[in-house]
Amino acid sequence: MTPDFTVRQAFGPCNSELTGEAFEAYSEWCKEKHIVRKNVFKIAMAPR
């Protein structure tokens, strides 16, 4: 039986948002692995 894996996080360096080529590569990888991206949200820094 194949384990049921999930991707919990996909961030860039220092927990930054994926953009540009990094986001395109991640999106293509998801497509190849038949991973449906959902529950997408942005992480905001706490106010100082």
Side-chain angles (χ1 to χ4, degrees):
M1 182 173 185
T2 304
D4 184 24
F5 292 106
T6 60
V7 175
R8 301 278 181 163
Q9 296 183 59
F11 293 110
C14 300
N15 291 331
S16 64
E17 184 178 349
L18 288 180
T19 59
E21 290 182 12
F23 181 76
E24 290 174 23
Y26 169 68
S27 295
E28 184 64 31
W29 179 81
C30 287
K31 227 185 263 187
E32 289 175 8
K33 301 294 182 183
H34 306 287
I35 295 172
V36 177
R37 293 180 290 135
K38 60 182 178 178
N39 299 332
V40 178
F41 59 92
K42 285 189 173 189
I43 303 294
M45 299 297 288
R48 292 183 186 198

